[in-house]
Amino acid sequence: MDARKPRLLTGDRPTGPLHLGHLVGTLQSRVKLQDSHECFIIVADLHSLTTRSRRDEIARLPNHVRDVVLDMLSVGVDPSRSTIYLQSGVPAVYDIAILLQMLTPVARLSGLQSIQDMAVNAGLGDADVPLGLLGYPVLQAADILMANAELVPVGADNETHVTLARDIAEHFNDAYGKVFAVPQPTVSATPSLPGVNTVAGGAERKMSKSAGNAIWLKDSPEEVARKVRTLPGPAPGESTGAPLFLFAEAFLRDADELASLRAEYDRGGIGFAAVQDRVIEALEKILVPIRERRAEFAADKHRTEEIIVDGTITARKVAYETLGKVRDAMGLENLWSGLVHATQSRAEERKKPFYHQKS
Ligand code: ATP
Ligand code: MG
């Protein structure tokens, strides 16, 4: 009997440190699922290049990579149970991605809201969207399928990408024989935490690293409070769906307290500042231990680099194995070995001129 735990893949772009949206969107499930799953956690630097490929942006990657790994460790991702790896350190994934592109209709990619949102956050007009950004979900499919991941915890913006990976896996398995596990997306109770209003319209969009509307896990208590206080108060009676109350839902752990806070607000008993106070208090309870753990890991020099190098070596092995299976299934390995085989009989003769020249 196969005692292997089912595999899971999830991760982040190293475009900045992690924020509260990550915490409730995927980080908490990553920590929980470490018991039941073999976790592959990608630091998706190639995906960062889809919107940030300038030299100065690439020069910032080492800091961002370190930040993302520290943030993961600070919330409880355990490197002895989870493989944390650098995407660009696994070149077999690019090979798999190219082959999967052949199975992906452009029409499945061009209308995706997630890609349009990323282009807007990166200040890219329609004419500037690079092919790599359009193909973002195909590269993500290659990440998921190379690891044979069965489960993919993501935020709402990434759910359609996992559905595409599912479709590509099924298409591939039908066409060439079963190679891939068919992945399943899973979203948390807060699949899309809104941003804060530190930028115009910040609270109307999802919190994003690239949108200037994030509360970072590493923010000081003062910064957290300042940012929460930018969240507007809805009209009494209209708390449902308002960003301030979405924060309350995400971070107040006691359902009865949440219900009474909302009821009080909606009947005009308390103002929005009181709700903000309660959210800030709840957040501090969650963030204090995270900040402490972050400081401990940060003090251990080069620990993050060690973790990511070890993880990347593991991921490389898995990716090369999968690439071999993909090439076999598609007949590409046969094509190459057929050509090599055909040259065997004359191999010695073909070498001779080379030896003669040398002597
Ligand atoms: P960027 O602005 O660079 O795209 P991001 O904040 O969107 O950064 P990603 O690295 O793209 O973060 O996303 C990592 C994971 O976190 C994805 O699964 C994504 O769906 C999830 N996620 C991101 N933002 C949120 C959010 N506001 N609420 C819930 N989940 C989120
Ligand atoms: Mg994103």
Side-chain angles (χ1 to χ4, degrees):
M1 207 180 80
D2 186 6
R4 187 175 80 78
K5 287 179 186 171
R7 200 173 274 160
L8 160 167
L9 185 132
T10 184
D12 318 279
R13 306 206 293 169
T15 45
L18 300 185
H19 53 63
L20 291 178
H22 295 113
L23 182 69
V24 290
T26 77
L27 288 179
Q28 286 169 341
S29 15
R30 279 178 215 181
V31 174
K32 213 165 88 204
L33 290 164
Q34 287 182 120
D35 294 332
S36 52
H37 287 70
E38 188 191 345
C39 298
F40 268 49
I41 304 184
I42 182 171
V43 179
D45 58 333
L46 291 176
H47 276 118
S48 300
L49 299 185
T50 62
T51 53
R52 301 184 182 198
S53 58
R54 289 198 321 260
R55 277 173 82 104
D56 60 312
E57 291 167 328
I58 292 172
R60 284 197 282 275
L61 278 174
N63 275 342
H64 289 329
V65 168
R66 187 178 141 79
D67 258 341
V68 165
V69 176
L70 274 178
D71 285 334
M72 276 195 256
L73 298 172
S74 72
V75 299
V77 170
D78 172 3
S80 69
R81 286 185 292 163
S82 288
T83 299
I84 301 174
Y85 73 97
L86 183 71
Q87 186 184 31
S88 69
V90 187
V93 167
Y94 325 170
D95 291 359
I96 297 172
I98 288 260
L99 297 173
L100 300 185
Q101 280 175 18
M102 312 307 166
L103 313 183
T104 313
V106 174
R108 280 293 297 273
L109 304 170
S110 46
L112 286 176
Q113 187 62 45
S114 53
I115 305 292
Q116 286 165 18
D117 290 346
M118 273 188 279
V120 169
N121 285 343
L124 296 169
D126 283 350
D128 306 317
V129 170
L131 183 58
L133 180 54
L134 185 68
Y136 186 114
V138 185
L139 180 58
Q140 193 172 343
D143 299 323
I144 296 167
L145 301 185
M146 83 80 177
N148 265 301
E150 289 163 52
L151 195 68
V152 189
V154 282
D157 58 323
N158 264 272
E159 211 180 344
T160 46
H161 299 182
V162 185
T163 308
L164 179 76
R166 252 188 101 75
D167 293 350
I168 293 176
E170 280 172 347
H171 180 162
F172 187 101
N173 290 346
D174 281 351
Y176 308 110
K178 185 165 179 347
V179 169
F180 295 129
V182 178
Q184 180 69 39
T186 169
V187 294
S188 73
T190 312
S192 191
L193 187 75
V196 285
N197 230 19
T198 44
V199 289
E204 284 149 35
R205 292 187 275 160
K206 88 162 186 79
M207 186 175 287
S208 279
K209 291 191 229 86
S210 312
N213 65 355
I215 297 181
W216 310 117
L217 296 178
K218 66 175 187 176
D219 269 344
S220 65
E222 296 71 30
E223 270 298 278
V224 173
R226 182 186 72 77
K227 289 177 179 176
V228 170
R229 292 203 186 286
T230 67
L231 286 169
E238 289 176 17
S239 64
T240 306
L244 179 59
F245 280 88
L246 292 176
F247 268 73
E249 279 166 29
F251 300 108
L252 265 62
R253 300 219 161 127
D254 181 338
D256 292 340
E257 190 202 349
L258 176 65
S260 71
L261 192 77
R262 186 191 289 286
E264 274 275 280
Y265 185 83
D266 278 337
R267 67 174 178 78
I270 53 171
F272 68 86
V275 182
Q276 290 172 340
D277 282 346
R278 192 56 202 100
V279 169
I280 292 166
E281 207 182 316
L283 277 175
E284 273 314 298
K285 232 185 181 150
I286 297 169
L287 291 174
V288 165
I290 292 179
R291 283 190 205 105
E292 280 171 9
R293 269 199 302 268
R294 195 179 205 282
E296 278 167 29
F297 279 109
D300 191 351
K301 202 161 175 259
H302 299 316
R303 180 76 183 112
T304 54
E305 288 85 348
E306 212 169 66
I307 287 168
I308 203 158
V309 166
D310 289 352
T312 306
I313 291 169
T314 302
R316 283 167 81 105
K317 283 191 204 133
V318 173
Y320 276 110
E321 248 176 65
T322 307
L323 175 62
K325 287 183 191 161
V326 169
R327 286 175 53 83
D328 265 344
M330 292 183 84
L332 298 174
E333 205 44 59
N334 239 345
L335 170 62
W336 173 241
S337 57
L339 292 171
V340 171
H341 184 75
T343 63
Q344 287 303 297
S345 59
R346 298 215 302 243
E348 281 311 304
E349 205 178 311
R350 277 155 33 85
K351 276 187 200 157
K352 274 178 196 150
F354 173 71
Y355 290 127
H356 288 155
Q357 265 170 22
K358 265 183 96 180
S359 57

